[in-house]
Amino acid sequence: MAATITNTMFGFVRTYVMLAVAGSAVAVGGQAAGYDAPQLVTYVWAGQGLIGVVALWGWTELADRIRSGDVVTDLLRPVHPVLGYLLPDLGRAAYALLTRFVVPIVVGALAFDMYLPQRAATYPMFAVSVLLAVLVCFAGRFLVNAAGYWLLDTRGVLMGWAVCAGVLGGLYFPIRFLPEWAAAAVYLGTPFPSVLQIPLDVLVERDPPAGQLGLLGLQALWAVLLLAACVLVQRRAERRLVVQGG
């Protein structure tokens, strides 16, 4: 509940900033990087809701279990550790859709003029995009936690993830606000836009249907690559894991 209230309060702050940006763009006869004011409002409030769905920050369970040695229990289970952490995370994300996502959307709709998708295909594409975002974010969090197999202290790695996920993920401002070449480099060269920016672009219909499908394909590619990296890193880590006293 506290996290939902916090996200909602920050939603108001970010909305007024984005409305100011949209107003400046309208004053010179255009849109803000292809977004109009209602689209930016939806972008903000849906983004505030998705923070909890994808669990952008704060997950340190694997790193904590590596440090304490409890991770050995995970290795004894008949389920692969990556899958053992992924399945509960999917359940958590489904619950967060009903709690962390719905409340900010309702508040934003009551307080501002929000953009609703005009194309029927956008709704299932957004659902698929959110699922892929959860997979990408989980894989990223798993990898930074898995650094604990090699590092005594993972706080620096976790902080780096938090900063990059917020700035390059489109939480603080849409990546499309950057110069076109820089935005393309972030989209194609990093997985962070797949966590928040792409689902939000799909929802506000920033691109035509073909563009939306291309974004989903990019998300799916990052999900496959990062989950494969999780399996590889876990396999390498098991070969060198040393538990104190064992």
Side-chain angles (χ1 to χ4, degrees):
M1 179 59 71
T4 302
I5 294 174
T6 301
N7 286 343
T8 301
M9 295 304 298
F10 273 104
F12 282 97
V13 175
R14 293 184 58 222
T15 297
Y16 286 118
V17 171
M18 290 300 171
L19 288 177
V21 172
S24 299
V26 171
V28 296
Q31 295 179 322
Y35 304 93
D36 59 24
Q39 285 176 313
L40 286 174
V41 171
T42 300
Y43 182 100
V44 168
W45 288 98
Q48 291 300 115
L50 284 178
I51 291 174
V53 175
V54 301
L56 196 60
W57 308 303
W59 187 74
T60 61
E61 182 179 353
L62 176 58
D64 293 339
R65 291 176 69 81
I66 294 171
R67 185 167 55 251
S68 67
D70 293 338
V71 71
V72 172
T73 305
D74 300 333
L75 304 181
L76 297 176
R77 293 170 180 161
V79 178
H80 192 281
V82 175
L83 189 60
Y85 282 103
L86 173 59
L87 294 180
D89 196 67
L90 292 176
R92 176 209 53 77
Y95 177 75
L97 279 172
L98 303 177
T99 55
R100 299 286 297 276
F101 183 76
V102 171
V103 173
I105 291 293
V106 172
V107 172
L110 292 175
F112 301 97
D113 181 20
M114 295 180 67
Y115 178 85
L116 295 178
Q118 304 300 303
R119 302 189 290 262
T122 295
Y123 292 95
M125 282 195 290
F126 176 65
V128 172
S129 185
V130 170
L131 174 60
L132 292 172
V134 171
L135 295 176
V136 171
C137 192
F138 163 80
R141 288 185 281 109
F142 186 96
L143 289 173
V144 297
N145 272 257
Y149 285 116
W150 289 269
L151 303 177
L152 294 176
D153 190 342
T154 59
R155 285 177 295 181
V157 182
L158 292 170
M159 186 176 297
W161 163 264
V163 172
C164 291
V167 176
L168 302 181
L171 175 62
Y172 303 132
F173 60 87
I175 302 302
R176 302 287 182 94
F177 281 7
L178 296 174
E180 187 173 338
W181 64 268
V186 174
Y187 269 90
L188 299 176
T190 76
F192 298 109
S194 296
V195 175
L196 284 178
Q197 177 76 48
I198 289 179
L200 297 176
D201 276 347
V202 170
L203 179 63
V204 302
E205 297 178 334
R206 168 62 176 72
D207 303 286
Q212 290 175 310
L213 290 175
L215 293 176
L216 291 180
L218 181 60
Q219 266 189 302
L221 176 62
W222 277 115
V224 171
L225 291 176
L226 289 180
L227 288 173
C230 290
V231 174
L232 177 61
V233 168
Q234 181 64 33
R235 185 183 306 158
R236 294 287 181 86
E238 290 173 8
R239 295 177 183 174
R240 58 95 52 208
L241 177 64
V242 176
V243 177
Q244 184 176 0

mmCIF file of all heavy atoms in Angstrom, residues 43-64:
data_model
loop_
_atom_site.group_PDB
_atom_site.id
_atom_site.type_symbol
_atom_site.label_atom_id
_atom_site.label_comp_id
_atom_site.label_asym_id
_atom_site.label_seq_id
_atom_site.Cartn_x
_atom_site.Cartn_y
_atom_site.Cartn_z
ATOM 1 N N TYR A 43 1.301 7.736 -20.522
ATOM 2 C CA TYR A 43 2.673 7.235 -20.386
ATOM 3 C C TYR A 43 3.125 7.294 -18.926
ATOM 4 O O TYR A 43 3.692 6.336 -18.393
ATOM 5 C CB TYR A 43 3.600 8.069 -21.269
ATOM 6 C CG TYR A 43 5.044 7.633 -21.262
ATOM 7 C CD1 TYR A 43 5.555 6.851 -22.292
ATOM 8 C CD2 TYR A 43 5.912 8.001 -20.230
ATOM 9 C CE1 TYR A 43 6.886 6.450 -22.299
ATOM 10 C CE2 TYR A 43 7.233 7.599 -20.228
ATOM 11 C CZ TYR A 43 7.711 6.830 -21.259
ATOM 12 O OH TYR A 43 9.018 6.424 -21.253
ATOM 13 N N VAL A 44 2.861 8.415 -18.273
ATOM 14 C CA VAL A 44 3.303 8.593 -16.889
ATOM 15 C C VAL A 44 2.589 7.633 -15.955
ATOM 16 O O VAL A 44 3.220 6.902 -15.170
ATOM 17 C CB VAL A 44 3.079 10.046 -16.441
ATOM 18 C CG1 VAL A 44 3.252 10.165 -14.923
ATOM 19 C CG2 VAL A 44 4.041 10.982 -17.147
ATOM 20 N N TRP A 45 1.260 7.597 -16.024
ATOM 21 C CA TRP A 45 0.505 6.829 -15.036
ATOM 22 C C TRP A 45 0.628 5.323 -15.269
ATOM 23 O O TRP A 45 0.702 4.549 -14.305
ATOM 24 C CB TRP A 45 -0.953 7.274 -15.026
ATOM 25 C CG TRP A 45 -1.089 8.623 -14.398
ATOM 26 C CD1 TRP A 45 -1.187 9.822 -15.034
ATOM 27 C CD2 TRP A 45 -1.085 8.913 -13.000
ATOM 28 N NE1 TRP A 45 -1.252 10.838 -14.127
ATOM 29 C CE2 TRP A 45 -1.196 10.314 -12.865
ATOM 30 C CE3 TRP A 45 -1.013 8.131 -11.847
ATOM 31 C CZ2 TRP A 45 -1.227 10.947 -11.622
ATOM 32 C CZ3 TRP A 45 -1.050 8.755 -10.610
ATOM 33 C CH2 TRP A 45 -1.157 10.140 -10.506
ATOM 34 N N ALA A 46 0.656 4.899 -16.514
ATOM 35 C CA ALA A 46 0.884 3.475 -16.773
ATOM 36 C C ALA A 46 2.298 3.093 -16.352
ATOM 37 O O ALA A 46 2.525 1.991 -15.822
ATOM 38 C CB ALA A 46 0.665 3.165 -18.256
ATOM 39 N N GLY A 47 3.251 4.005 -16.546
ATOM 40 C CA GLY A 47 4.615 3.737 -16.113
ATOM 41 C C GLY A 47 4.724 3.606 -14.607
ATOM 42 O O GLY A 47 5.423 2.724 -14.090
ATOM 43 N N GLN A 48 4.006 4.470 -13.874
ATOM 44 C CA GLN A 48 4.019 4.375 -12.413
ATOM 45 C C GLN A 48 3.445 3.031 -11.959
ATOM 46 O O GLN A 48 3.913 2.440 -10.984
ATOM 47 C CB GLN A 48 3.207 5.510 -11.810
ATOM 48 C CG GLN A 48 3.824 6.892 -11.981
ATOM 49 C CD GLN A 48 5.196 7.012 -11.335
ATOM 50 O OE1 GLN A 48 6.200 7.206 -12.017
ATOM 51 N NE2 GLN A 48 5.261 6.880 -10.026
ATOM 52 N N GLY A 49 2.433 2.553 -12.668
ATOM 53 C CA GLY A 49 1.856 1.258 -12.316
ATOM 54 C C GLY A 49 2.755 0.095 -12.657
ATOM 55 O O GLY A 49 2.818 -0.897 -11.920
ATOM 56 N N LEU A 50 3.489 0.216 -13.766
ATOM 57 C CA LEU A 50 4.346 -0.889 -14.201
ATOM 58 C C LEU A 50 5.587 -1.057 -13.338
ATOM 59 O O LEU A 50 6.208 -2.122 -13.355
ATOM 60 C CB LEU A 50 4.759 -0.686 -15.662
ATOM 61 C CG LEU A 50 3.688 -0.987 -16.716
ATOM 62 C CD1 LEU A 50 4.222 -0.690 -18.114
ATOM 63 C CD2 LEU A 50 3.224 -2.430 -16.620
ATOM 64 N N ILE A 51 5.967 -0.018 -12.596
ATOM 65 C CA ILE A 51 7.140 -0.146 -11.724
ATOM 66 C C ILE A 51 6.987 -1.354 -10.808
ATOM 67 O O ILE A 51 7.910 -2.154 -10.630
ATOM 68 C CB ILE A 51 7.328 1.134 -10.883
ATOM 69 C CG1 ILE A 51 7.752 2.296 -11.775
ATOM 70 C CG2 ILE A 51 8.386 0.906 -9.800
ATOM 71 C CD1 ILE A 51 7.813 3.628 -11.033
ATOM 72 N N GLY A 52 5.801 -1.483 -10.206
ATOM 73 C CA GLY A 52 5.567 -2.603 -9.298
ATOM 74 C C GLY A 52 5.353 -3.922 -10.020
ATOM 75 O O GLY A 52 5.684 -4.982 -9.483
ATOM 76 N N VAL A 53 4.815 -3.869 -11.234
ATOM 77 C CA VAL A 53 4.551 -5.103 -11.971
ATOM 78 C C VAL A 53 5.862 -5.775 -12.381
ATOM 79 O O VAL A 53 6.028 -6.986 -12.217
ATOM 80 C CB VAL A 53 3.680 -4.820 -13.207
ATOM 81 C CG1 VAL A 53 3.508 -6.088 -14.044
ATOM 82 C CG2 VAL A 53 2.316 -4.287 -12.775
ATOM 83 N N VAL A 54 6.780 -4.996 -12.909
ATOM 84 C CA VAL A 54 8.061 -5.570 -13.337
ATOM 85 C C VAL A 54 9.052 -5.683 -12.189
ATOM 86 O O VAL A 54 10.107 -6.299 -12.335
ATOM 87 C CB VAL A 54 8.688 -4.756 -14.489
ATOM 88 C CG1 VAL A 54 7.756 -4.698 -15.679
ATOM 89 C CG2 VAL A 54 9.074 -3.357 -14.031
ATOM 90 N N ALA A 55 8.726 -5.068 -11.043
ATOM 91 C CA ALA A 55 9.626 -5.065 -9.875
ATOM 92 C C ALA A 55 10.977 -4.477 -10.265
ATOM 93 O O ALA A 55 12.017 -5.139 -10.207
ATOM 94 C CB ALA A 55 9.779 -6.455 -9.284
ATOM 95 N N LEU A 56 10.943 -3.212 -10.643
ATOM 96 C CA LEU A 56 12.128 -2.570 -11.207
ATOM 97 C C LEU A 56 13.303 -2.568 -10.240
ATOM 98 O O LEU A 56 14.450 -2.723 -10.645
ATOM 99 C CB LEU A 56 11.773 -1.138 -11.605
ATOM 100 C CG LEU A 56 12.729 -0.415 -12.554
ATOM 101 C CD1 LEU A 56 12.841 -1.160 -13.870
ATOM 102 C CD2 LEU A 56 12.249 1.017 -12.794
ATOM 103 N N TRP A 57 13.024 -2.378 -8.946
ATOM 104 C CA TRP A 57 14.101 -2.273 -7.954
ATOM 105 C C TRP A 57 13.812 -3.164 -6.752
ATOM 106 O O TRP A 57 12.706 -3.662 -6.566
ATOM 107 C CB TRP A 57 14.227 -0.830 -7.445
ATOM 108 C CG TRP A 57 14.349 0.201 -8.492
ATOM 109 C CD1 TRP A 57 15.300 0.275 -9.473
ATOM 110 C CD2 TRP A 57 13.498 1.332 -8.697
ATOM 111 N NE1 TRP A 57 15.092 1.379 -10.259
ATOM 112 C CE2 TRP A 57 13.999 2.048 -9.808
ATOM 113 C CE3 TRP A 57 12.366 1.814 -8.048
ATOM 114 C CZ2 TRP A 57 13.406 3.214 -10.280
ATOM 115 C CZ3 TRP A 57 11.775 2.968 -8.503
ATOM 116 C CH2 TRP A 57 12.296 3.655 -9.612
ATOM 117 N N GLY A 58 14.832 -3.313 -5.925
ATOM 118 C CA GLY A 58 14.639 -3.825 -4.571
ATOM 119 C C GLY A 58 14.746 -5.320 -4.377
ATOM 120 O O GLY A 58 14.723 -5.784 -3.242
ATOM 121 N N TRP A 59 14.889 -6.097 -5.468
ATOM 122 C CA TRP A 59 14.945 -7.557 -5.306
ATOM 123 C C TRP A 59 16.381 -7.988 -5.071
ATOM 124 O O TRP A 59 17.241 -7.855 -5.955
ATOM 125 C CB TRP A 59 14.387 -8.245 -6.542
ATOM 126 C CG TRP A 59 14.257 -9.736 -6.381
ATOM 127 C CD1 TRP A 59 13.322 -10.401 -5.644
ATOM 128 C CD2 TRP A 59 15.084 -10.740 -6.977
ATOM 129 N NE1 TRP A 59 13.510 -11.757 -5.755
ATOM 130 C CE2 TRP A 59 14.585 -12.001 -6.560
ATOM 131 C CE3 TRP A 59 16.187 -10.707 -7.824
ATOM 132 C CZ2 TRP A 59 15.151 -13.206 -6.970
ATOM 133 C CZ3 TRP A 59 16.759 -11.899 -8.230
ATOM 134 C CH2 TRP A 59 16.243 -13.135 -7.803
ATOM 135 N N THR A 60 16.672 -8.495 -3.890
ATOM 136 C CA THR A 60 18.030 -8.938 -3.549
ATOM 137 C C THR A 60 18.023 -10.359 -2.980
ATOM 138 O O THR A 60 18.999 -10.767 -2.347
ATOM 139 C CB THR A 60 18.669 -7.990 -2.527
ATOM 140 O OG1 THR A 60 17.882 -8.000 -1.317
ATOM 141 C CG2 THR A 60 18.760 -6.570 -3.055
ATOM 142 N N GLU A 61 16.943 -11.098 -3.195
ATOM 143 C CA GLU A 61 16.816 -12.413 -2.565
ATOM 144 C C GLU A 61 17.955 -13.353 -2.943
ATOM 145 O O GLU A 61 18.553 -14.019 -2.083
ATOM 146 C CB GLU A 61 15.479 -13.046 -2.938
ATOM 147 C CG GLU A 61 15.251 -14.398 -2.278
ATOM 148 C CD GLU A 61 13.913 -15.011 -2.627
ATOM 149 O OE1 GLU A 61 13.101 -14.322 -3.287
ATOM 150 O OE2 GLU A 61 13.678 -16.176 -2.252
ATOM 151 N N LEU A 62 18.280 -13.420 -4.233
ATOM 152 C CA LEU A 62 19.340 -14.334 -4.657
ATOM 153 C C LEU A 62 20.684 -13.913 -4.071
ATOM 154 O O LEU A 62 21.446 -14.750 -3.560
ATOM 155 C CB LEU A 62 19.415 -14.386 -6.178
ATOM 156 C CG LEU A 62 20.547 -15.242 -6.764
ATOM 157 C CD1 LEU A 62 20.451 -16.682 -6.278
ATOM 158 C CD2 LEU A 62 20.541 -15.175 -8.284
ATOM 159 N N ALA A 63 21.001 -12.627 -4.135
ATOM 160 C CA ALA A 63 22.268 -12.149 -3.583
ATOM 161 C C ALA A 63 22.357 -12.432 -2.087
ATOM 162 O O ALA A 63 23.420 -12.820 -1.578
ATOM 163 C CB ALA A 63 22.423 -10.647 -3.844
ATOM 164 N N ASP A 64 21.241 -12.254 -1.385
ATOM 165 C CA ASP A 64 21.236 -12.519 0.060
ATOM 166 C C ASP A 64 21.461 -14.000 0.354
ATOM 167 O O ASP A 64 22.191 -14.364 1.287
ATOM 168 C CB ASP A 64 19.909 -12.066 0.674
ATOM 169 C CG ASP A 64 19.729 -10.549 0.633
ATOM 170 O OD1 ASP A 64 20.755 -9.846 0.507
ATOM 171 O OD2 ASP A 64 18.576 -10.086 0.709
#
